Amino acid sequence: MIHAIKLPEGVSPESIRRDMPVLLLLMLLALLALPASSQAGTATRDSLPAGDSLKIYPILYQRQSPGNLVESIGHLKGKKLESTAATFINTGFSGRIAGLFTSQISGEPGNDGVNLRLRGLDPLILVDGVPRSLLSVNPEQIESVTVLKDALSTAMLGMRSMNGAVLITTRKGLHKTGFNLDVTAHTGTSSPLKLPEPLSAFDYATLYNEALGNDGKPAIYTQEDLNAYQSGNDPFGHPNVNWYDRVLEDHASFNRYVLNAEGSGKNLNYFVSLDYLNQQGLFSNSSLNTYSTNSEYQRYIFRSNVGVQINPTLSMYINLFGRIRDQNQPGSGTESIFNALSTTPFNAYPALNPDGSLGGNVNYNNNIYGQSVLSGYMNEVYSDGFVDLGLKKDLSALLEGWWVQGAISYNLALTQEIDRSKDFETFEMLLDPGTGDTTYNRFGTKSDQRNNSSILARSHQLYAAGSTGFSRNWGEHSLDALLMYNIDSYSIDSDLPNRYQTLAARLRYNIGNKYLLEAAASYSGNNRYEEGNRFGLFPAFGAAWNMHEEDFFPEDSWISALKIRASYGLTGNAVAGYYEYINRYGSASGYYFGTSVSRVSGRALQVPRDISTWEKAEKLNIGLDLSFAGKRGFISADYYRHTLKDLVQARGRSSAILGWGKDIIQNLGKDRYSGMELQAGWNDRSGDLSYYISGNMTMAGSEILFNDEPDYPYNWMYRTGHQVGQLFGYVADGFVGQAGEGMVMEGYQPVPGDIKYRDLNGDGVINQFDRQAIGTEKPLIFYGLDLGFSWKGFSLSVLVQGVANKNIMLTGARQWEFQNDGKGQAYQHHLDRWTLENTDATYPRLSVGTNISNHIASSFWVRPGDYLRIKNAEIAYTLQNSWLGQVGIKHVRLFVNGLNLVTISDLKRSDPETLAGTYPIQRIISGGLTVKF
């Protein structure tokens, strides 16, 4: 007979589930308290968190030899990152791992990390198994980077398994008894890869007059004005200020100093690291200030990883980490200044008037030089730290191969801003032609320097995990099992905690190293979904066949290893929002009553977003791994097909009549990502010469399977069926040759030199019904080639990275002429504009302000974003001889490296990765030395 269990009063299933981590840790501590048996086996390598051989890859919560891997992963040794002079270690990922696409949109110190996309999605970052975004660290702390790509490798992450993951494993100490002390110092310079090319004041004024004429308006610059701009004889009345030269330096300094100590004894492993980085920005400082107004970045890091073997069956680890990131910028803000640089013509005003005041006028009253050096400064300090603590007990005395482990981690982060900005005045000089007297018009108000401090963000994270598992071998069979429960709770500012709870398991079965079977699953939930619908099951399974282990495989074959593997599973991604299922009121400023807005303040009902479930992905992966010629060469290939469903999207058929509009968010979307990944390499040695070459290439495609769209009258208007992120616009069809010719936008009178568009529906007008997919629909291709050699102490490494089949849309103030109501900048590419004498132009006829027909999204503005870049290179010499040993030095390594050295691209007007007028990507040349004691 089965009896119902009655819970004590005040105890609910939800409270038990919430408190499960504490209960589990108490159980673990009880197990850890068991006395050590004299018959207990020796602790396994995993029981002591030391630096395992990199022939055993870190995967999620365990390590595995490559020959027994069923999962699809990418792997990168930490040493590969040390030649990359950058503030973010993910900059070193570019071009090194198949399936991992990187893009960099800014080179601003402290904000120059690359964006990561793994098989089309944003991967989760884990450090030593704990979810935390920790990319601003020094590469010397990194043992390895493992990229988890398929469902099998991430299933244990539960509701955070869909996007894949990047697992960073830090160093834990030496492999054998000993002590090492490394001191590294390097210094270098950074310079922008590509700056915009604005027109001189003379060319600007000339084209401006031409644009006015094209618009049927009179010129505003006389011939005397043009002569004065060209001669430069009147720098105050007819200025020609190259603002980039005025406020930016050609280069900036980069310095980094690292001290690492690691060792291993009989029962102890440790790794301790100290790091200091200082990267200066490009803004010029002024002797008028006693403080820096540059965009600069300083970083301080401390890390300590310690592992202790307490007794033959009990081990412990404790990791400590502390970091301070100090970022400075002008009081006006780095982004604001670069926006001004993109939009202010050279003839707008003089930087300084004859009396030393800041130039300006009614149209341009925020002097860029003043923004750069006379607006004070803003300082942002980000400080964070964490502690990880773990215990592991070997219970082989009770059951062969059994172990149990508990871990807890706490992370605290704080961002503080110090505002010491100030306002300044600008002045327009007016010259009386009769008397020659000078007067000034003032714009703006000068203020004292502010002295405000505020907390911009505060967050803390508590992660706790308990796990148990066992490994058994009998004959040709082996079984490995892992069961884990973890809870990850983090809060930002005053928000209630966002809490993930996951019960996960993995089971591996190996038959003679020939047949590998693996299954993983998790039951995972998030507290921001509605109660009763917070948990889901995420299973995955896979198999692999090591063909070279078969008896029929010839022993003398040139093939060293041959494995076929496949995996399939269901993964999830929680996008719950902040308790979006709850009906609540939001503030409103007023409501319409009659023909005017009521002054009565209101409360608007916010329609609950119907995000009833998590996003899901069914993932299929098929792979082949081959090594040959005594494992000197290798080839690895993967095909993947990921079908995403229940994607959170705004309803395309919603109406704003009831005030809802696009606020109606539901689990609607369905996409598919598929592609091929190929990696190959060769490494060999001949005498004193050793060399290697490895490359990777990815072809990544996508398709929108369902997107809630309105009922369009024409098939070409639908985004469904096209790639995710496909560009849409009008199809350009050359230039209008004469008045009244060609099809242009509805309601617009065509003028010679305007862009013509294709009338897709044949109704005689160009409007929204003539928009279609534009640009390539081929799969995105990205690749990398890494090669190097070493010979008698000398070494050289080069990394080439590239992208193909990428399209970009050229829009905005850095691409179009005379924007911002005619007050904007113009650039060198505008010189080849359409005129009656230049009908083969690369740019349409010029206009002042936004041209509603030309300045719209169309195939005319689509350009190839393909590029090939020498991403990284390093040359080094290692000095190691007996006399160094006599003074306690094991070796001295001298090196010079470079980042973003050369870029080959058909896009000449800007770097293919930065188009929006942001801080340019930097080329960094650095040199230094490492001394090992």
Side-chain angles (χ1 to χ4, degrees):
M1 180 181 295
I2 299 176
H3 297 279
I5 299 175
K6 184 178 181 181
L7 296 175
E9 186 176 353
V11 178
S12 66
E14 181 67 25
S15 66
I16 293 177
R17 188 159 49 195
R18 183 182 62 247
D19 298 331
M20 183 63 73
V22 177
L23 298 174
L24 187 55
L25 285 176
L26 290 174
M27 293 171 61
L28 288 172
L29 289 174
L31 286 169
L32 294 172
L34 289 172
S37 170
S38 60
Q39 298 177 350
T42 305
T44 64
R45 167 64 70 178
D46 280 338
S47 69
L48 184 65
D52 297 335
S53 168
L54 287 178
K55 293 181 180 179
I56 306 297
Y57 290 170
I59 58 173
L60 199 58
Y61 310 128
Q62 286 181 310
R63 292 175 179 258
Q64 182 65 282
S65 64
N68 291 333
L69 275 172
V70 180
E71 300 97 329
S72 175
I73 71 166
H75 189 260
L76 177 64
K77 294 180 180 179
K79 280 289 183 183
K80 289 287 186 181
L81 301 171
E82 294 182 14
S83 62
T84 302
T87 58
F88 288 83
I89 59 169
N90 57 355
T91 304
F93 298 172
S94 299
R96 297 190 186 274
I97 302 173
L100 188 66
F101 180 73
T102 63
S103 61
Q104 185 174 1
I105 61 173
S106 174
E108 181 184 2
N111 290 322
D112 55 350
V114 303
N115 295 324
L116 301 178
R117 300 281 287 177
L118 178 57
R119 293 182 172 181
L121 303 173
D122 299 325
L124 178 70
I125 307 297
L126 303 105
V127 180
D128 294 327
V130 180
R132 54 167 66 109
S133 182
L134 192 63
L135 295 172
S136 177
V137 297
N138 65 330
E140 286 83 3
Q141 295 181 5
I142 308 302
E143 175 193 293
S144 67
V145 176
T146 306
V147 178
L148 311 176
K149 304 178 185 181
D150 65 345
L152 189 59
S153 62
T154 63
M156 294 183 71
L157 292 172
M159 279 199 182
R160 289 187 283 190
S161 59
M162 189 179 88
N163 293 2
V166 176
L167 173 61
I168 297 170
T169 304
T170 60
R171 293 166 61 180
K172 304 299 189 297
L174 293 175
H175 305 292
K176 56 185 179 180
T177 300
F179 171 78
N180 283 336
L181 177 65
D182 298 341
V183 179
T184 300
H186 54 129
T187 184
T189 62
S190 63
S191 58
L193 280 188
K194 182 75 175 177
L195 286 173
E197 298 178 345
L199 293 177
S200 67
F202 170 76
D203 286 335
Y204 179 90
T206 302
L207 294 194
Y208 201 94
N209 279 347
E210 179 183 311
L212 288 170
N214 291 338
D215 293 341
K217 300 175 182 178
I220 64 171
Y221 296 105
T222 66
Q223 187 60 48
E224 289 75 13
D225 291 328
L226 298 177
N227 293 339
Y229 285 132
Q230 191 168 33
S231 67
N233 292 332
D234 183 15
F236 300 108
H238 293 82
N240 181 27
V241 183
N242 186 324
W243 292 109
Y244 287 92
D245 290 346
R246 182 70 183 185
V247 302
L248 299 182
E249 300 288 344
D250 294 332
H251 61 273
S253 63
F254 178 93
N255 297 281
R256 192 160 71 88
Y257 307 94
V258 182
L259 185 148
N260 294 324
E262 62 178 344
S264 178
K266 182 178 179 181
N267 297 308
L268 179 70
N269 288 81
Y270 59 89
F271 172 79
V272 180
S273 178
L274 297 172
D275 169 81
Y276 170 71
L277 179 144
N278 186 321
Q279 184 177 2
Q280 295 294 304
L282 295 173
F283 290 127
S284 301
N285 273 309
S286 172
S287 59
L288 299 173
N289 300 319
T290 59
Y291 48 81
S292 174
T293 57
N294 195 2
S295 177
E296 57 192 27
Y297 176 74
Q298 296 185 75
R299 186 188 68 192
Y300 311 82
I301 296 177
F302 166 77
R303 172 179 282 278
S304 170
N305 294 344
V306 178
V308 180
Q309 193 72 45
I310 299 174
N311 62 44
T313 64
L314 180 63
S315 62
M316 179 185 75
Y317 72 84
I318 181 168
N319 303 332
L320 300 175
F321 178 87
R323 177 179 57 177
I324 297 175
R325 292 185 286 170
D326 190 335
Q327 191 167 10
N328 195 77
Q329 62 178 325
S332 294
T334 298
E335 183 178 351
S336 176
I337 294 175
F338 271 94
N339 181 65
L341 288 170
S342 298
T343 58
T344 306
F346 286 6
N347 69 343
Y349 49 83
L352 297 174
N353 291 311
D355 64 350
S357 62
L358 295 172
N361 52 57
V362 66
N363 289 323
Y364 307 95
N365 53 30
N366 207 357
N367 185 290
I368 298 178
Y369 177 72
Q371 286 181 283
S372 178
V373 301
L374 297 178
S375 64
Y377 68 96
M378 301 281 286
N379 182 256
E380 187 172 298
V381 178
Y382 176 92
S383 56
D384 65 332
F386 63 78
V387 56
D388 300 336
L389 176 64
L391 291 168
K392 186 170 185 178
K393 178 76 173 180
D394 187 343
L395 299 175
S396 296
L398 301 177
L399 178 66
E400 183 181 349
W402 184 29
W403 55 266
V404 63
Q405 179 171 291
I408 190 167
S409 175
Y410 183 74
N411 183 98
L412 182 65
L414 184 71
T415 304
Q416 181 181 16
E417 181 184 73
I418 299 174
D419 179 3
R420 293 200 172 99
S421 63
K422 58 183 178 180
D423 302 324
F424 53 84
E425 301 168 323
T426 60
F427 296 86
E428 180 183 20
M429 184 184 71
L430 302 175
L431 183 65
D432 189 323
T435 63
D437 293 338
T438 299
T439 58
Y440 290 92
N441 280 342
R442 184 180 65 181
F443 302 93
T445 303
K446 186 176 181 179
S447 73
D448 294 331
Q449 191 164 1
R450 301 174 182 88
N451 187 21
N452 301 322
S453 177
S454 59
I455 302 298
L456 296 183
R458 181 189 292 107
S459 66
H460 61 88
Q461 176 193 24
L462 177 63
Y463 176 87
S467 58
T468 184
F470 71 93
S471 299
R472 291 288 300 274
N473 298 303
W474 62 97
E476 291 190 339
H477 302 266
S478 66
L479 182 65
D480 184 89
L482 171 65
L483 178 66
M484 167 179 276
Y485 177 84
N486 63 59
I487 181 168
D488 185 16
S489 177
Y490 63 90
S491 299
I492 300 176
D493 296 329
S494 60
D495 285 355
L496 294 172
N498 188 6
R499 186 169 59 249
Y500 290 87
Q501 297 179 77
T502 303
L503 177 66
R506 178 192 289 134
L507 188 68
R508 292 195 183 98
Y509 185 52
N510 184 330
I511 305 175
N513 287 329
K514 298 177 186 178
Y515 314 112
L516 311 171
L517 302 175
E518 184 172 338
S522 61
Y523 183 65
S524 178
N526 181 270
N527 67 316
R528 291 188 176 178
Y529 286 107
E530 190 169 7
E531 190 170 356
N533 188 39
R534 290 178 176 173
F535 286 81
L537 181 65
F538 306 95
F541 58 90
W545 178 24
N546 278 322
M547 295 178 61
H548 67 284
E549 296 289 346
E550 294 288 356
D551 295 337
F552 61 75
F553 216 86
E555 293 184 4
D556 58 350
S557 172
W558 66 281
I559 296 178
S560 308
L562 176 60
K563 178 172 63 178
I564 299 174
R565 49 185 166 77
S567 68
Y568 181 82
L570 176 67
T571 58
N573 182 42
V575 190
Y578 192 71
Y579 302 99
E580 298 288 353
Y581 61 88
I582 299 176
N583 285 294
R584 58 187 183 272
Y585 285 92
S587 60
S589 58
Y591 57 89
Y592 278 96
F593 185 81
T595 58
S596 62
V597 178
S598 169
R599 294 298 179 184
V600 180
S601 62
R603 304 290 289 176
L605 175 64
Q606 294 182 349
V607 178
R609 299 187 174 190
D610 187 18
I611 307 175
S612 59
T613 187
W614 41 92
E615 298 178 331
K616 306 174 183 69
E618 298 176 8
K619 293 187 175 184
L620 169 69
N621 194 98
I622 301 173
L624 180 144
D625 301 319
L626 168 70
S627 64
F628 52 90
K631 297 189 177 181
R632 289 174 293 173
F634 76 92
I635 297 174
S636 181
D638 280 87
Y639 167 77
Y640 66 90
R641 186 180 179 91
H642 298 169
T643 302
L644 283 60
K645 57 186 179 180
D646 290 331
L647 300 178
V648 175
Q649 291 181 354
R651 270 207 173 275
R653 302 165 190 258
S654 60
S655 172
I657 294 176
L658 298 178
W660 295 350
K662 292 186 178 180
D663 286 338
I664 299 188
I665 305 294
Q666 291 180 297
N667 298 103
L668 298 170
K670 188 175 182 180
D671 296 340
R672 177 179 292 133
Y673 291 85
S674 60
M676 292 283 295
E677 298 167 358
L678 178 66
Q679 299 183 89
W682 177 270
N683 64 86
D684 204 353
R685 174 182 292 274
S686 177
D688 293 328
L689 176 67
S690 63
Y691 60 94
Y692 70 91
I693 181 171
S694 65
N696 66 83
M697 184 181 72
T698 302
M699 292 187 295
S702 63
E703 181 183 1
I704 299 174
L705 300 179
F706 177 79
N707 182 28
D708 189 59
E709 301 181 79
D711 292 324
Y712 292 121
Y714 305 105
N715 290 335
W716 60 76
M717 299 178 67
Y718 286 95
R719 283 166 168 74
T720 301
H722 294 284
Q723 292 191 94
V724 178
Q726 176 69 45
L727 298 176
F728 267 72
Y730 299 95
V731 180
D733 203 12
F735 295 125
V736 174
Q738 55 186 353
E741 175 190 272
M743 301 295 296
V744 296
M745 289 302 298
E746 184 177 19
Y748 176 81
Q749 185 65 36
V751 175
D754 283 331
I755 301 173
K756 292 190 297 185
Y757 300 109
R758 194 169 300 167
D759 184 9
L760 299 182
N761 62 355
D763 63 356
V765 295
I766 301 296
N767 53 28
Q768 69 269 23
F769 299 120
D770 297 301
R771 288 170 55 89
Q772 69 164 40
I774 54 177
T776 183
E777 295 197 52
K778 297 179 180 179
L780 177 68
I781 295 176
F782 50 98
Y783 54 89
L785 179 66
D786 186 15
L787 53 93
F789 74 89
S790 61
W791 177 76
K792 292 186 176 181
F794 289 97
S795 64
L796 172 69
S797 64
V798 178
L799 174 66
V800 178
Q801 173 233 351
V803 175
N805 289 347
K806 180 185 178 184
N807 279 167
I808 52 180
M809 179 78 77
L810 304 179
T811 62
R814 279 187 59 183
Q815 309 298 335
W816 297 335
E817 78 283 8
F818 310 130
Q819 296 297 291
N820 191 23
D821 295 328
K823 298 188 289 292
Q825 181 61 281
Y827 293 88
Q828 291 293 323
H829 59 269
H830 295 138
L831 293 174
D832 189 23
R833 74 286 184 195
W834 190 97
T835 65
L836 291 174
E837 298 77 24
N838 186 29
T839 57
D840 294 329
T842 58
Y843 198 88
R845 64 103 175 177
L846 301 177
S847 298
V848 174
T850 298
N851 184 305
I852 64 170
S853 182
N854 291 339
H855 298 153
I856 55 176
S858 76
S859 60
F860 182 87
W861 303 109
V862 176
R863 296 289 189 277
D866 306 353
Y867 67 90
L868 184 147
R869 203 190 304 273
I870 300 180
K871 186 66 178 180
N872 197 73
E874 181 178 79
I875 185 170
Y877 177 72
T878 301
L879 179 63
Q880 186 173 4
N881 54 37
S882 58
W883 67 265
L884 285 175
Q886 294 175 4
V887 295
I889 298 176
K890 295 179 181 178
H891 74 239
V892 176
R893 183 175 184 268
L894 305 172
F895 61 86
V896 176
N897 55 44
L899 178 68
N900 297 324
L901 292 174
V902 178
T903 302
I904 300 174
S905 171
D906 290 336
L907 189 66
K908 304 303 180 185
R909 65 183 68 172
S910 62
D911 185 87
E913 289 191 277
T914 54
L915 299 171
T918 56
Y919 199 108
I921 295 177
Q922 299 295 291
R923 177 185 294 112
I924 301 177
I925 307 295
S926 173
L929 61 85
T930 298
V931 181
K932 176 174 282 190
F933 299 92

